[in-house]
Amino acid sequence: MTMSSRVIAIVAASLLLGGTAFAQTMAPATPAPASKMAPAAKAEKPRTAASLECSKEADAKGLHGKERKKFRSECKAKAAKPN
């Protein structure tokens, strides 16, 4: 093998193996401004004992969606009324 062909082989190998070292990486994602955060990220109010009990009853009955919301609303209203 001649000297020039060795140099060409070394340069070719360097380009193939070194290409990933010089590859550009993606820019880091910037966090979204606080005003555009999802509503779920807001601080939640602590749930009352009546609310938790009504949720357990709704779970036991297997209620979902509008029926669950209506049941819990009525249940909490009953719990709020003095006997």
Side-chain angles (χ1 to χ4, degrees), residues 12-14 34-35 39 45 47 52-54 59 69 71 76-77 79:
S14 297
S35 62
K45 293 189 285 185
R47 295 180 59 190
L52 293 171
E53 188 62 34
C54 291
D59 287 341
K69 186 174 181 177
F71 174 80
K76 289 190 292 185

Side-chain angles (χ1 to χ4, degrees), residues 14-41:
S14 297
L15 289 174
L16 290 174
L17 298 174
T20 57
F22 297 108
Q24 291 184 352
T25 60
M26 293 179 52
T30 56
S35 62
K36 293 185 179 181
M37 291 181 70

Side-chain angles (χ1 to χ4, degrees), residues 53-72:
E53 188 62 34
C54 291
S55 291
K56 288 179 186 176
E57 290 180 30
D59 287 341
K61 292 184 177 187
L63 297 176
H64 297 285
K66 291 180 183 179
E67 294 86 13
R68 180 184 179 91
K69 186 174 181 177
K70 181 179 177 185
F71 174 80
R72 289 189 70 242

